[in-house]
Amino acid sequence: MKKTMLTLLVAASLAGCRSEIDHAETVTRNGLIYQYGETDPFNGLVVNIPIGLPGISALCNARVENGRNSGQSECFYNGQKLYEVEYLAGNKDGVERVFDAKSGDNISVTHWKNGRQDGEEEQYVNGILVSRKAYKDGKPDGEEIRWSDNGKTVLTKLRWRAGNKQEGFLEDSEGKYNYLNGQLHGERLKYGYISGKLKRYTSAEEHYDNGKLDGVQKKYVNILHTDLVQQESEIIYDKGVARSGWMKKFDPVNGSIIQEIKLTQSPHGSDEDFDSGYPGNLVPDGVLKQEDTESEEVWANGVKVKYSYNYGEPSFHILESTTPWEKYREVSQAEYSAYEVSASPESNAIQRQIASLSHNENCHNAWITAYRNEIGDDAAVTSEQLSEWSDWCREGKLP
C-alpha cells in the first residue's frame, strides 16, 4: 500500500513538471515564460507557437531555459521547415535561417552574437545568392556586394565601417550612388517612377566632390498623366555653393513650357534662415510674369526691384531699401512703369536705383507740398500729375 502511494505521488509530481508543453499552456510575466499555474519559470520545449506569415499558418517549437528562449527554435509549414534560429539567455546567438515554403531553398542567412548581428548576412532569390553584407556589433562593417536577381550583374560593391558607407558604389530602386572616404563622390543618379506605372526615369543627375555638390546638376520631371519627361532645371555648383542656373515651368496638361527663369545668387544666400524656394536657393534674374493674374516680378542682381499683382484691383510696388532686408513702397502705375531697372550683373544698378528712388521721393514730396500749398491741404493728387512730376524730377526740375 505504501509503495502504491509513493508511485502515485511521483507520477503527480512529474505531471506538474513536464519538459514539453503546448504554447496554449504558457503565460508570460515580466518577460519570462511560465507554464500556466506554475510559480517557477519554465524549462523545456514549447510547441505549436503560431507565427504570422502572409498566406501561411506556420507553427514553431522553441527551447526554453529559466523562462527565456535558449537553444534552437524552429518553424514548420506542412512539414517544411521555414525558419530556424539559435538563442542564448533570451537573445539571438548563432545562425538564423529563413527558408522558402515551397522549395526549401535559403531566403536569408544571418549571424548573431548576444542579440546583435555579427558576421555575414546573405540574401537569396530563387536559391541564387544576390546579397552578402558583413556586420559587426549590430552595424554594417566590412564588405557589401549585391547582385542582380540572376546573380550575374554586380549592382553594389561597398566598404562599410561602423555603420557608415566608406567607398564603392551602389544602385537600388531610388538611384545610383558613388562614395569615397565616407562621402558622396562622383556621379549620383536619382530615379523617379511615372505615375501609375512601374516605368522608371532619371529624376536627377548630380555630381559630388568629397560630399559637396560640384559642377552641373540637372533635374527632370514627369508631366502628370503622361509619359513625358522634361528637364526642369540646371544649376551650376562650386564646392557646395550654387552659382547660377535656370529652371522651367510647364503646362500641367500638355507639358509645354510656360516660362524659363534665369537664376542667380541672392545677397542673402549665405543667411542661415534664407529660403528662396528656387533650386539651389538661387533667385530669379529678369522678369517673371503670371499671365492668369497679369502680375509680374522684376529682379536684378539677386534682388526683386519691383513687383505688381492684380487680384481684383491692381497694386504696384517698387524697392525702397535693401538694408537689412528689402523694403517696398506702393506707388502709382505711372511711377511703377517709369521706374527703370538695369539687369546688368556687372553694374551697381540696384544701388543707383535706390539712390534715384530716394531723390525722386524727395522731389515728388516737394511737388506735392507745393501743389497743396497752392490748392489746399486736401487737394487730390492724380496719377497723371505724379507721372508728370516724375518726368520733371528726372529732368532735375524742382518747384
Side-chain angles (χ1 to χ4, degrees):
M1 182 69 179
K2 289 182 179 180
K3 184 177 180 180
T4 302
M5 289 294 296
L6 180 62
T7 301
L8 290 173
L9 287 171
V10 171
S13 175
L14 290 175
C17 301
R18 287 180 293 159
S19 60
E20 180 179 316
I21 61 174
D22 193 277
H23 172 71
E25 300 176 71
T26 66
V27 61
T28 301
R29 298 195 297 266
N30 297 323
L32 299 178
I33 300 170
Y34 293 81
Q35 183 177 359
Y36 188 78
E38 296 294 324
T39 57
D40 293 328
F42 180 71
N43 286 279
L45 182 68
V46 179
V47 300
N48 298 323
I49 304 170
I51 61 169
L53 295 174
I56 295 177
S57 299
L59 296 174
C60 304
N61 306 323
R63 289 284 173 187
V64 177
E65 291 184 10
N66 297 319
R68 292 186 173 92
N69 288 327
S70 195
Q72 190 173 57
S73 293
E74 300 174 302
C75 302
F76 298 86
Y77 174 72
N78 288 342
Q80 173 69 53
K81 184 184 288 189
L82 299 179
Y83 178 78
E84 66 180 20
V85 65
E86 293 286 335
Y87 279 91
L88 180 63
N91 294 314
K92 291 180 182 179
D93 194 282
V95 182
E96 177 184 37
R97 290 186 173 89
V98 180
F99 305 95
D100 186 89
K102 295 181 179 179
S103 67
D105 292 334
N106 283 331
I107 292 178
S108 67
V109 179
T110 309
H111 292 79
W112 297 82
K113 186 175 181 180
N114 195 29
R116 295 173 181 258
Q117 277 192 254
D118 199 281
E120 286 193 341
E121 176 191 77
E122 297 176 345
Q123 302 286 338
Y124 296 81
V125 173
N126 297 324
I128 299 172
L129 178 65
V130 296
S131 174
R132 182 187 292 127
K133 189 174 184 179
Y135 282 79
K136 184 177 180 181
D137 197 26
K139 297 179 180 179
D141 194 292
E143 188 177 58
E144 175 188 4
I145 302 179
R146 189 167 62 85
W147 296 269
S148 57
D149 287 354
N150 60 14
K152 296 181 179 179
T153 304
V154 177
L155 301 177
T156 295
K157 192 170 185 179
L158 282 175
R159 174 67 59 179
W160 292 77
R161 184 183 302 140
N164 298 308
K165 303 178 184 73
Q166 293 301 304
E167 59 187 30
F169 64 91
L170 72 88
E171 182 176 9
D172 56 23
S173 61
E174 295 183 356
K176 201 172 185 178
Y177 313 83
N178 291 278
Y179 291 86
L180 182 66
N181 299 323
Q183 302 283 352
L184 285 166
H185 186 82
E187 184 182 55
R188 175 183 178 182
L189 300 179
K190 292 183 179 180
Y191 299 144
Y193 293 85
I194 291 176
S195 181
K197 300 182 180 180
L198 296 177
K199 188 176 180 180
R200 189 182 78 183
Y201 68 94
T202 299
S203 62
E205 299 173 8
E206 299 177 345
H207 296 269
Y208 284 83
D209 185 1
N210 289 315
K212 294 182 178 180
L213 289 168
D214 193 73
V216 178
Q217 322 295 326
K218 300 178 181 180
K219 288 187 178 181
Y220 302 85
V221 63
N222 168 232
I223 305 302
L224 193 62
H225 306 308
T226 75
D227 288 351
L228 186 63
V229 176
Q230 299 269 46
Q231 185 175 349
E232 185 180 37
S233 66
E234 185 170 305
I235 309 298
I236 298 175
Y237 276 78
D238 180 18
K239 299 295 187 293
V241 179
R243 298 298 184 186
S244 62
W246 56 262
M247 66 170 293
K248 293 177 181 177
K249 292 184 178 181
F250 302 98
D251 187 300
V253 177
N254 58 30
S256 62
I257 299 173
I258 298 175
Q259 187 170 188
E260 183 170 340
I261 304 170
K262 185 181 177 183
L263 298 172
T264 189
Q265 288 184 309
S266 165
H268 305 299
S270 60
D271 295 351
E272 185 177 345
D273 58 349
F274 177 72
D275 182 12
S276 72
Y278 289 89
N281 231 10
L282 299 174
V283 294
D285 186 24
V287 180
L288 277 70
K289 288 187 177 292
Q290 299 291 337
E291 301 296 339
D292 54 341
T293 60
E294 298 180 356
S295 302
E296 73 170 15
E297 294 178 359
V298 181
W299 293 72
N301 305 314
V303 173
K304 183 168 62 177
V305 292
K306 68 178 184 178
Y307 67 93
S308 67
Y309 59 83
N310 186 355
Y311 295 101
E313 186 172 338
S315 180
F316 303 91
H317 305 263
I318 58 177
L319 184 64
E320 186 173 38
S321 171
T322 59
T323 306
W325 291 89
E326 287 74 47
K327 180 181 177 183
Y328 298 88
R329 179 168 63 90
E330 188 171 0
V331 296
S332 68
Q333 183 174 2
E335 188 174 353
Y336 178 87
S337 300
Y339 183 71
E340 298 178 355
V341 178
S342 170
S344 172
E346 290 80 18
S347 70
N348 294 317
I350 294 175
Q351 287 74 12
R352 291 202 303 269
Q353 289 288 354
I354 294 172
S356 174
L357 177 61
S358 178
H359 166 76
N360 286 340
E361 183 176 8
N362 292 334
C363 182
H364 284 145
N365 289 338
W367 279 107
I368 292 171
T369 300
Y371 172 70
R372 286 179 172 165
N373 286 339
E374 181 181 348
I375 305 301
D377 290 341
D378 296 327
V381 177
T382 67
S383 60
E384 288 78 9
Q385 287 173 301
L386 286 173
S387 180
E388 184 178 29
W389 294 335
S390 294
D391 293 338
W392 291 349
C393 287
R394 280 195 298 272
E395 294 170 5
K397 295 179 181 180
L398 291 171

